[in-house]
Amino acid sequence: MTQPAEPSLNPVPDPAPDPVVDPALDPVDPPGAGDGAPGGPPAPRTVDVAGLVAQARAGRPRAVARLVSLVEDAHPALREVMAALAPHTGHARIIGLTGSPGVGKSTTTSAIVRALRARDERVGVLAVDPSSPFSGGALLGDRIRMQEHALDPGVYIRSMASRGHLGGLSWSAPQAMRVLDAAGCDDVLIETVGVGQSEVEIASHADTTVVLLAPGMGDGIQAAKAGILEIGDLFVVNKADRDGAEATMRDLRHMISLGERPGAGGWRPPVIRCIASTGEGIAELVEALDEHAEWSRRTGALRRRRLRRAAGEIESIALTALRERIGDLRDGRRMEQLAERVVDGETDPYAAADRLLADLRQG
């Protein structure tokens, strides 16, 4: 049972006024917010990062929501936000759930949240939905299946659009995870978009990766394809009341047995039978999650995985900054000059790239 004094992560706004005002995230500009010219663009606004972080640490849902919005919008204050959050991260267990469309990821996520809340754990959920390649919009409908938790003060649910990012996640998901971690969540669940055979990015961001499959969808063969079988720490055959569930479980166990046999103390991914809509198998799934978490801590696998995750984030941020600097050169004459020399046969692309890197170092 939820303790009355527990800070609220409920995304419904608190009745008390929020002392931190961030007009940049408000839907309506306040009077005088423009640059002085009628109809002109709004002037840059500052964000009280310290205040937002303090409120997020206290469990204020509006502060958590605003910090995630800063992350998604790549706000100029993002670096300051991440620096302020860094000392408070590293405590939450990150659980990734992935699988093909229609296997029941949202229903399973909701069932796991219910089980974790029964243990009085605070839970954050990031549900990633695909963006339209035409309009750029996203339905953000995964949270519809989690409405039972909407008023739970110990649950924070945030839908995020993939915004064209490949791999099954939003590009901002890693930093949003840090926000929920710093906000005091014991567990952060990340539900990916419906993935196929190559969208396996979740494995590099989660402490435990759960791959969901369903009978009658060809998943027994899909799991054998490159990437899917290798990323799973746990495999769940959901909708197991359908015909073919036992065959799917048998195929999975057989394919796992064909893989490289772990050494002493190694982890062998279990295959769990589940009917998330009724709750059947959820207790076994949560128990397996706990067992993998304990094994990861005991063997040092958790530390190694988090080190790889941090290295990947550093590399991604550095490459993004490098691309921005190259873009600045592209807008100027230097890139055009190098391209002309390559087309005219005066140099080759490798030498031109070396020259470009030299220019970047000098700049």
Side-chain angles (χ1 to χ4, degrees), residues 89-172:
T89 59
H91 308 290
R93 175 174 57 167
I94 310 298
I95 301 171
L97 295 99
T98 189
S100 303
V103 297
K105 293 187 296 297
S106 296
T107 304
T108 303
T109 299
S110 181
I112 293 174
V113 171
R114 189 185 314 119
L116 295 176
R117 287 298 296 145
R119 305 192 315 199
D120 204 26
E121 297 183 21
R122 299 171 69 186
V123 185
V125 179
L126 296 176
V128 184
D129 281 303
S131 297
S132 168
F134 303 103
S135 66
L139 180 60
L140 304 181
D142 283 338
R143 64 187 301 164
I144 295 174
R145 298 184 180 91
M146 306 180 202
Q147 283 302 300
E148 65 175 290
H149 308 295
L151 299 179
D152 188 336
V155 179
Y156 182 88
I157 302 173
R158 176 72 176 232
S159 290
M160 306 178 72
S162 65
R163 300 189 180 185
H165 183 76
L166 301 178
L169 292 176
S170 165
W171 73 270
S172 56

Side-chain angles (χ1 to χ4, degrees), residues 275-301:
I275 307 175
S277 59
T278 64
E280 181 178 338
I282 296 300
E284 291 79 1
L285 173 55
V286 172
E287 181 181 358
L289 288 170
D290 292 340
E291 290 175 356
H292 183 260
E294 193 279 331
W295 173 85
S296 296
R297 285 190 294 267
R298 174 169 45 84
T299 62

Side-chain angles (χ1 to χ4, degrees), residues 58-84:
R60 294 291 297 275
R62 292 180 64 185
V64 175
R66 288 178 175 181
L67 287 173
V68 175
S69 293
L70 292 176
V71 168
E72 287 194 290
D73 296 339
H75 193 277
L78 178 57
R79 290 176 179 269
E80 184 182 354
V81 168
M82 290 298 109

Side-chain angles (χ1 to χ4, degrees), residues 322 326 329-330 334-343 346-362:
L322 183 60
I326 292 176
L329 290 178
R330 186 183 293 275
R334 186 54 177 157
M335 183 71 79
E336 184 179 345
Q337 291 170 353
L338 291 171
E340 288 176 350
R341 294 190 63 193
V342 171
V343 171
E346 298 176 9
T347 188
D348 63 273
Y350 289 95
D354 290 340
R355 183 67 260 175
L356 178 62
L357 291 174
D359 292 344
L360 290 173
R361 284 193 293 267
Q362 294 172 3

